[in-house]
Amino acid sequence: GQQLNQSPQSMFIQEGEDVSMNCTSSSIFNTWLWYKQDPGEGPVLLIALYKAGELTSNGRLTAQFGITRKDSFLNISASIPSDVGIYFCAGQLVQGAQKLVFGQGTRLTINP
Amino acid sequence: NAGVTQTPKFQVLKTGQSMTLQCAQDMNHEYMSWYRQDPGMGLRLIHYSVGAGITDQGEVPNGYNVSRSTTEDFPLRLLSAAPSQTSVYFCASSWDFNSPLHFGNGTRLTVT
């Protein structure tokens, strides 16, 4: 099946640091989405990107839809303890019906 | 507004047993889907439905059945549980296949 390569797999940072993670694929996507999952809960949508080159912010979060439509990144500025969790990228392929493909996730741990 | 509700939250089955994972949404969403989440593999699509009476297979459909008799409900059936089906299962819904998904809080299934 289609794959999204998400990196890094895990991050250990100090509170207040900035965070950057990305997803790449060999396939072209119509949509890129970024989700966050807290323990014991389902993923929650953070940012949705619909156009190549689009740069969107949501508070301290910024995400971009790559120009080639094969990649996306998510940045978190000035991290706080509640940013802890697993972050997933997801992409909707150009072809076919709803085939939302997920990355493997980035587990973020913050040391206070 | 309950959103997407999954039951049960936890379930233990013996190999060969059958069961149904329930999913209901109260947002009048047309699109519903089931994912399984395994460590290091992100979320993988099992089955999806674009509306009542219409279902289709995702990436990993073997061993699972679905039906969509109403807009609100999308149950997932395991006909003969196997240890390989030990996983966390998430139901998700959206207005249509172009809209971001809203996830339930998951069902953690263990098959012994």
Side-chain angles (χ1 to χ4, degrees):
Chain A
Q2 302 294 337
Q3 283 191 328
L4 287 181
N5 298 312
Q6 185 172 350
S7 64
Q9 291 187 4
S10 60
M11 301 183 73
F12 298 86
I13 64 170
Q14 296 295 123
E15 183 177 352
E17 288 185 7
D18 296 342
V19 173
S20 183
M21 60 191 77
N22 68 83
C23 278
T24 61
S25 175
S26 58
S27 300
I28 296 174
F29 290 88
N30 271 335
T31 303
W32 281 97
L33 307 170
W34 285 92
Y35 286 86
K36 183 192 176 200
Q37 185 179 25
D38 292 325
E41 298 184 8
V44 174
L45 182 68
L46 297 174
I47 292 179
L49 302 160
Y50 298 104
K51 295 181 181 179
E54 179 180 356
L55 183 70
T56 297
S57 293
N58 179 7
R60 294 178 295 106
L61 278 61
T62 301
Q64 185 160 29
F65 192 145
I67 290 292
T68 65
R69 299 170 71 186
K70 295 181 179 181
D71 62 331
S72 177
F73 72 74
L74 174 70
N75 289 340
I76 305 173
S77 63
S79 59
I80 60 177
S82 61
D83 291 334
V84 166
I86 303 176
Y87 292 79
F88 290 99
C89 63
Q92 183 180 344
L93 290 165
V94 170
Q95 296 172 336
Q98 171 63 298
K99 299 283 188 183
L100 198 60
V101 180
F102 281 81
Q104 302 95 325
T106 296
R107 183 181 295 274
L108 179 63
T109 303
I110 299 175
N111 298 317
Chain B
N1 190 354
V4 179
T5 302
Q6 290 185 239
T7 57
K9 291 186 177 181
F10 301 94
Q11 183 71 49
V12 178
L13 291 177
K14 294 184 186 293
T15 298
Q17 287 184 318
S18 62
M19 79 157 297
T20 299
L21 280 63
Q22 302 291 343
C23 175
Q25 53 91 10
D26 61 359
M27 298 174 282
N28 204 30
H29 285 170
E30 288 295 326
Y31 180 86
M32 297 186 73
S33 55
W34 277 100
Y35 287 84
R36 59 178 289 173
Q37 184 177 30
D38 301 295
M41 300 190 72
L43 292 119
R44 292 182 292 169
L45 182 64
I46 304 171
H47 285 284
Y48 65 96
S49 169
V50 298
I54 306 169
T55 63
D56 206 346
Q57 295 180 349
E59 181 184 356
V60 287
N62 293 338
Y64 308 94
N65 280 354
V66 293
S67 60
R68 184 92 179 271
S69 57
T70 68
T71 299
E72 295 78 18
D73 300 300
F74 191 43
L76 178 72
R77 298 184 186 85
L78 283 70
L79 299 179
S80 179
S84 61
Q85 293 178 305
T86 293
S87 188
V88 181
Y89 291 85
F90 287 99
C91 179
S93 72
S94 61
W95 287 109
D96 55 40
F97 66 81
N98 285 318
S99 304
L101 292 169
H102 297 260
F103 284 85
N105 282 335
T107 294
R108 185 176 294 275
L109 175 68
T110 302
V111 183
T112 61

